Amino acid sequence: VQLQASGGGLVQAGGSLRLSCEASANIVSFATMSWYRQAADKGRVMVAIITKGGSTNTIDSVKGRFTISRDMIKNTVYLEMSSLKPEDTAVYYCNAERKMPDSTPSIVYWGQGTLVTVSS
């Protein structure tokens, strides 16, 4: 399975971007798909998640500004980002988790990352 992330770039504070993550597999095969971000010299943290059933959640710092969605025909998950702040600057990664039967550990896939830079 490959995840191809795109859509990053340089934007001014207050601007918007849409990130895309296209999967090489049917996204309904994944229990969850998520967006993570990693700022310079910091760890990778989850920003938004969408479940197989379509439930979504975002971290508090982006609530009301970021929206995760999906297109099941295009096998693509999106992260719509608005009212961007300099602190949103990071490399953004998409993630997909496939649950395995019984006690077998889940399989986790990562995209290659796309850089979002928000200037003040």
Side-chain angles (χ1 to χ4, degrees):
V1 174
Q2 292 186 331
L3 302 176
Q4 183 68 41
S6 62
L10 174 63
V11 63
Q12 288 188 330
S16 300
L17 281 175
R18 186 178 79 162
L19 305 183
S20 300
C21 176
E22 183 176 2
S24 62
N26 193 328
I27 61 174
V28 298
S29 68
F30 301 121
T32 62
M33 293 191 73
S34 310
W35 284 98
Y36 283 69
R37 68 184 180 187
Q38 185 167 15
D41 300 324
K42 294 189 177 179
R44 192 175 296 188
V45 297
M46 182 186 293
V47 174
I49 186 170
I50 185 165
T51 69
K52 183 175 183 176
S55 298
T56 63
N57 201 4
T58 54
I59 58 174
D60 287 346
S61 61
V62 306
K63 279 192 188 301
R65 301 189 299 119
F66 290 14
T67 303
I68 187 170
S69 63
R70 65 186 179 184
D71 184 326
M72 297 171 73
I73 295 175
K74 295 182 178 179
N75 289 317
T76 301
V77 172
Y78 303 98
L79 186 67
E80 299 271 3
M81 306 184 295
S82 62
S83 302
L84 283 161
K85 305 175 181 180
E87 51 263 43
D88 295 319
T89 295
V91 178
Y92 284 71
Y93 298 89
C94 60
N95 164 291
E97 181 183 16
R98 177 172 286 159
K99 296 289 189 182
M100 302 303 288
D102 304 319
S103 59
T104 304
S106 297
I107 299 176
V108 177
Y109 305 95
W110 289 95
Q112 83 284 9
T114 184
L115 176 63
V116 173
T117 303
V118 184
S119 63
S120 57

